[in-house]
Amino acid sequence: MIFDLILNGDIKEAIITFLMWLPIILLSFSVHETAHALIADKLGDPTAKNLGRVTLNPAKHIDLYGFISMLLIGIGWAKPVPITARNFKKPRNGMALSALAGPVSNLLLAAVFCALASVYSNLIYPLFVNEGNFLALYYIFQFFIYGALINVSLAVFNMIPAPPFDGSRILYVFLPPKAYFKVMKYEQYIGLGIMALFLICSFVEIDLLRFIVYPIVNGMLSLFGA
């Protein structure tokens, strides 16, 4: 989105959007990765906790390229939380639950942003709208909406049931052992293929996100009242 604003020459709006997105992305990525690490630790794997990943400090979680990509085009990633499956009593279940924690944490954060937007628009905005500061009031409201949008998008995007997304770990629970080990053997290549598909589609102007992810995002935002 910011990249589109820059291409369209709307530099002022691009800067304002950047300033709104920056804290939201830092918080959203940190909450997502912390949730992975925290649940993994609760289930018996302290790997991420020992590396200091149970923290909301963005410096521990941010991947520079993923962060820049998220800011510019709305698709990004953080540093994956290291998880040692053999530390779980039930490895596949442990991997699935720790993976699910990330998207769930983003949905909860989206719900918080939606609640803040509702309180703001119904209680705070009417008190100040007649004082000539409409633009500032609008951007505050937009900040909350962006918070909900980004977090729901992260949750839905990460639930894609294919590597390297969190959804793949949940899918693995339902695979028979033979299929599971075969997929695990080629997981890295499948992940590269999925990312290449998104990249190729962007070059030929086929917006997979618009057709697959965005309808789900919009539906979930409606459920949250955004």
Side-chain angles (χ1 to χ4, degrees), residues 41-112:
D41 180 58
K42 296 297 183 183
L43 293 174
D45 176 32
T47 305
K49 181 181 179 181
N50 292 339
L51 293 172
R53 297 297 297 274
V54 183
T55 175
L56 293 179
N57 179 3
K60 292 288 186 177
H61 304 295
I62 296 301
D63 176 278
L64 180 60
Y65 297 109
F67 178 66
I68 293 173
S69 176
M70 187 69 187
L71 276 174
L72 291 179
I73 62 175
I75 302 174
W77 57 91
K79 292 178 184 176
V81 166
I83 293 177
T84 307
R86 64 176 178 270
N87 288 334
F88 299 128
K89 290 181 179 179
K90 295 182 178 180
R92 278 205 278 178
N93 289 346
M95 292 293 288
L97 289 172
S98 57
L100 182 62
V104 169
S105 71
N106 287 127
L107 290 178
L108 292 175
L109 194 53
V112 171

Side-chain angles (χ1 to χ4, degrees), residues 7-203:
L7 288 179
N8 292 331
D10 197 345
I11 304 302
K12 178 182 177 181
E13 193 64 27
I15 292 173
I16 293 172
T17 303
F18 169 82
L19 293 175
M20 287 193 287
W21 278 36
L22 182 62
I24 295 170
I25 293 173
L26 289 174
L27 175 63
S28 304
F29 277 176
S30 298
V31 167
H32 183 103
E33 299 303 327
T34 297
H36 283 319
L38 181 61
I39 297 303
D41 180 58
K42 296 297 183 183
L43 293 174
D45 176 32
T47 305
K49 181 181 179 181
N50 292 339
L51 293 172
R53 297 297 297 274
V54 183
T55 175
L56 293 179
N57 179 3
K60 292 288 186 177
H61 304 295
I62 296 301
D63 176 278
L64 180 60
Y65 297 109
F67 178 66
I68 293 173
S69 176
M70 187 69 187
L71 276 174
L72 291 179
I73 62 175
I75 302 174
W77 57 91
K79 292 178 184 176
V81 166
I83 293 177
T84 307
R86 64 176 178 270
N87 288 334
F88 299 128
K89 290 181 179 179
K90 295 182 178 180
R92 278 205 278 178
N93 289 346
M95 292 293 288
L97 289 172
S98 57
L100 182 62
V104 169
S105 71
N106 287 127
L107 290 178
L108 292 175
L109 194 53
V112 171
F113 274 112
C114 285
L116 290 173
S118 178
V119 170
Y120 178 81
S121 62
N122 290 303
L123 298 179
I124 300 175
Y125 178 84
L127 295 176
F128 298 97
V129 69
N130 294 322
E131 296 185 13
N133 49 7
F134 174 79
L135 195 58
L137 292 171
Y138 165 77
Y139 282 125
I140 293 172
F141 177 74
Q142 192 65 35
F143 175 82
F144 295 137
I145 296 300
Y146 278 146
L149 172 63
I150 289 171
N151 276 279
V152 170
S153 298
L154 282 174
V156 172
F157 194 71
N158 274 284
M159 286 301 293
I160 294 175
F165 306 109
D166 295 328
S168 65
R169 303 295 179 186
I170 300 167
L171 173 66
Y172 293 164
V173 173
F174 303 99
L175 293 178
K178 186 176 180 179
Y180 169 72
F181 288 113
K182 183 170 286 189
V183 171
M184 288 298 292
K185 182 179 179 180
Y186 298 104
E187 183 181 44
Q188 182 177 0
Y189 302 104
I190 296 172
L192 290 174
I194 294 293
M195 298 308 291
L197 175 63
F198 277 103
L199 185 61
I200 291 170
C201 286
S202 67
F203 276 120

